[in-house]
Amino acid sequence: MANVAKKVSWSGRDRDDDEDGRAGETTPLLNGTGPGAAGSGRQLTPSPFLRIGQLSNVDLNEEVHELETEVPRQRPNEIPHNEKLLSLKYESLDYDNSENQLFLEEERRINHAAFRTVEIKRWVICAMIGILTGLVACFIDIVVENLAGLKYRVVKDNIDKFTAKGGLSFSLLLWATLNASVVMVGSLIVAFIEPVAAGSGIPQIKCYLNGVKIPHVVRLKGLCYKCPSVPYQAVPTGGLASSMSSLKLPSLLFQIFEYFRRDTEKRDFVSAGAAAGVSAAFGAPVGGVLFSLEEGASFWNQFLTWRIFFASMISTFTLNSVLSVYHGNAWDLSSPGLINFGRFDSEKMGYTIQEIPIFIFMGVVGGILGALFNALNYWLTMFRIRYIHRPCLQVVEAMLVAAVTATVGFVMIYCSRDCQPIQGSSVAYPLQLFCADGEYNSMATAFFNTPEKSVVNLFHDPPGSYNPMTLGMFTLMYFFLACWTYGLTVSAGVFIPSLLIGAAWGRLFGISLAYLTKGSIWADPGKYALMGAAAQLGGIVRMTLSLTVIMMEATGNVTYGFPIMLVLMTAKIVGDYFVEGLYDMHIQLQSVPFLHWEAPVTSHSLTAREVMSTPVTCLRRIERVGTVVDILSDTSSNHNGFPVVESNPDATQVAGLRGLILRSQLIVLLKHKVFVERTNLNLVQRRLKLKDFRDAYPRFPPIQSIHVSQDERECMIDLSEFMNPSPYTVPQEASLPRVFKLFRALGLRHLVVVDNRNEVVGMVTRKDLARYRLGKEGLEELSLAQT
């Protein structure tokens, strides 16, 4: 029997509620059958409705009961978890428009001028997304700057006070308490109010743009709670830029413009929001567009590219304008992003052809360290899923990490004797501690500062600003602290911590190289800090194209484009050899049915007949209302799409496919009582418009909330006007890669499988395709369960 495990949400809490009330696409729990069971397909539990295919009785609840009785629970606080499962609780988005009669009639009524008006509205929405993203970024930046400044000033004054007369233990306690207190506020918001606000949000937005509906991820409530929780973070979370890179603002705007109340438009606006967030964080409009393309959007076209680029530019301009006024430099638009790495002078920090192999070697190191980071975080996440799944425990863990971070930082600063002259230093909060007058502790430059400013210091501080031992110990400690931090129940990501780790060991590499080459002019430590930062971040998140452009835009130097590209490509290749990227790994741990760009390379032997779900619940073109209600209420037939076949009085004969209708459409029809009396099928039904369907979007009411009387159950409902008469179909002999390409390229949610007589034999959904993946031992098939 397959291992059915209870799973948790992105933040570790159980969240089975769906924001639109729709039931999930049901595919079976595999019974150990391999992919070579030709002709069988994936089988569902039987029901008394019209079904196509053979029946198989698999009871999920019964399987869970067997596990509970056969395996005694020795650790009652543990949640069992099996990463070989694929969850059935995640919905797919209806990216493909249902071209029924209502849709076609509305489109035909719209003239050329109206279409131009709709296009203008799209540009207006993208502009509003950019403006609001920029304003939110300004709010986060100002609050973070003031809170961090207050904390560091208070701790610095306390350390300076007790250094001379003793009692530094009180300074340590103060630092740890302040860290734990502010993190507690942010963690409470996430753990008890809005769990989806946890983390950077990039895995969630990546899934959403892939076509997976993550509950609450693009709701205004999530934004309202995510923004206040970002500033309440401590080192080494780096939540500022990471959270900005996943800001999603289209939901509020989406409700204003009725025409755009559908998944097709909403998904495009979310792409613009993701790009605008990256643009605001790093001042990289082009990098934001490429990020949305590389890491998120599954479907792309030229017009969408222009709109997303427009939103990114507006976001950067808004942020720059507001911050320039705030800092007293009105009309000075020279600092476009929250994270500005500073300009790298090509004359002083140029590179030569001899350094290319060195950069490639740094990419190898970054790939190995990134793989180690991901592997450690994988086991830590598994531990959290099993044991730290209660909100109170999650808050305690976050506070513990904050306190330990402060303790480690204080101890390392206390033990360090790396003193540097303070003249000409750009250190914001220099700690003298036990250094002589006119000097400051160099270890405090990295620990006693915001991660964003520490990265800039490692990039641009002159040679000799850091002792090699200081950089080595900082890299080691910060590596494990950042690994422990990612996945906490706080709004924080991995972008800036990864850059800081890489910048530290990259600068150490440059110092070592300068020592070995007797101070050669091309061994500048700041240049190698930049390459190390790119290598470390690339080795962890495995981004190439977008990260190359982001790093170039953030440094303001195109000269380093080629070496950065080489470093990132090398880090990705080396890292992929050992383990997946961090975002893909967490998506897999949440059992999300994520579809990659291509089907597994060894899957050509599989056909649609072997991967499809059977039996399929079909509806007749003119169906009895009671039958529709029973089908929607039956948990064993909870697909969100139902093939419609021709009405045939002979129930034993299956008619050919006539269309496809969605569960949400049937819900609206039942809600508005679109019935005809059984004795008079020519009676004119109540005329619905697309507005009736859009008004119910996106949270369609559940079938249990719709009352249908016994008399109404005997009425008939004509689906001809509401079904999609031209759904996409494939023959049952089509190969899996061909089915995958059609499904992925068109953004489908349902793909009907037919035989040579156009009769329905099965249905392919996202989960039928996502369960096949390429493992270490070749093609493997994941088990499916309602986790």
Side-chain angles (χ1 to χ4, degrees), residues 123 299-309:
W123 284 88
F299 315 102
W300 208 259
N301 57 60
Q302 183 179 4
F303 297 107
L304 180 61
T305 305
W306 271 110
R307 290 197 299 271
I308 291 179
F309 181 65

Side-chain angles (χ1 to χ4, degrees), residues 208 254 261-263 266 693-700:
Y208 187 91
F254 173 72
R261 293 180 65 85
R262 47 184 169 176
D263 288 343
K266 183 177 181 179
F693 294 90
R694 290 170 182 159
D695 289 342
Y697 178 89
R699 286 175 285 279
F700 296 96

Side-chain angles (χ1 to χ4, degrees), residues 424-614:
S425 174
S426 60
V427 180
Y429 310 100
L431 280 180
Q432 182 180 359
L433 210 59
F434 300 113
C435 295
D437 292 340
E439 294 183 340
Y440 70 95
N441 190 300
S442 182
M443 180 68 79
T445 306
F447 262 113
F448 199 70
N449 211 339
T450 60
E452 294 83 3
K453 293 181 179 178
S454 297
V455 171
V456 177
N457 291 335
L458 289 170
F459 283 168
H460 296 287
D461 282 350
S465 298
Y466 300 90
N467 186 288
M469 181 62 69
T470 298
L471 293 175
M473 291 301 297
F474 174 80
T475 301
L476 181 64
M477 291 294 100
Y478 208 89
F479 181 90
F480 290 105
L481 287 174
C483 184
W484 188 12
T485 300
Y486 189 79
L488 291 176
T489 312
V490 293
S491 296
V494 76
F495 252 79
I496 300 303
S498 301
L499 290 174
L500 184 52
I501 295 169
W505 69 256
R507 190 176 181 95
L508 176 62
F509 186 87
I511 294 174
S512 303
L513 192 62
Y515 176 79
L516 295 175
T517 57
K518 306 302 180 183
S520 175
I521 190 173
W522 47 267
D524 187 282
K527 172 176 51 180
Y528 291 97
L530 175 64
M531 297 303 162
Q536 185 66 51
L537 182 55
I540 291 176
V541 302
R542 313 292 162 78
M543 294 164 54
T544 53
L545 176 63
S546 59
L547 189 54
T548 300
V549 178
I550 289 173
M551 296 292 287
M552 286 194 300
E553 290 185 283
T555 56
N557 195 326
V558 185
T559 307
Y560 289 107
F562 181 68
I564 289 175
M565 181 194 70
L566 288 179
V567 167
L568 291 173
M569 288 181 60
T570 306
K572 175 176 172 57
I573 293 172
V574 174
D576 286 341
Y577 179 79
F578 295 102
V579 69
E580 289 184 307
L582 186 66
Y583 298 145
D584 292 330
M585 183 187 74
H586 277 262
I587 290 173
Q588 179 181 325
L589 283 174
Q590 294 298 327
S591 303
V592 179
F594 187 88
L595 296 181
H596 295 279
W597 289 104
E598 299 288 343
V601 293
T602 59
S603 60
H604 282 83
S605 59
L606 296 176
T607 63
R609 181 192 300 110
E610 297 168 272
V611 303
M612 66 186 182
S613 296
T614 59

Side-chain angles (χ1 to χ4, degrees), residues 73-81 385-389:
R73 179 176 295 182
Q74 299 176 353
R75 301 175 183 175
N77 294 328
E78 176 184 356
I79 289 184
H81 174 65
I385 290 176
R386 289 171 174 168
Y387 299 102
I388 313 178
H389 49 84

Side-chain angles (χ1 to χ4, degrees), residues 283-303:
V286 179
V289 175
L290 294 178
F291 171 83
S292 187
L293 170 62
E294 180 182 12
E295 289 296 310
S298 304
F299 315 102
W300 208 259
N301 57 60
Q302 183 179 4
F303 297 107

Side-chain angles (χ1 to χ4, degrees), residues 359-434:
F359 294 151
I360 295 177
F361 175 75
M362 294 184 70
V364 173
V365 175
I368 295 175
L369 291 179
L372 176 62
F373 185 99
N374 294 354
L376 293 176
N377 189 261
Y378 173 85
W379 294 111
L380 180 61
T381 304
M382 292 286 291
F383 178 84
R384 284 180 175 138
I385 290 176
R386 289 171 174 168
Y387 299 102
I388 313 178
H389 49 84
R390 298 180 183 275
C392 55
L393 295 179
Q394 294 168 354
V395 175
V396 170
E397 185 197 14
M399 296 174 60
L400 176 64
V401 173
V404 170
T405 299
T407 303
V408 170
F410 184 88
V411 171
M412 293 187 67
I413 294 173
Y414 181 85
C415 296
S416 174
R417 294 298 181 265
D418 185 7
C419 298
Q420 302 294 335
I422 200 171
Q423 290 80 7
S425 174
S426 60
V427 180
Y429 310 100
L431 280 180
Q432 182 180 359
L433 210 59
F434 300 113

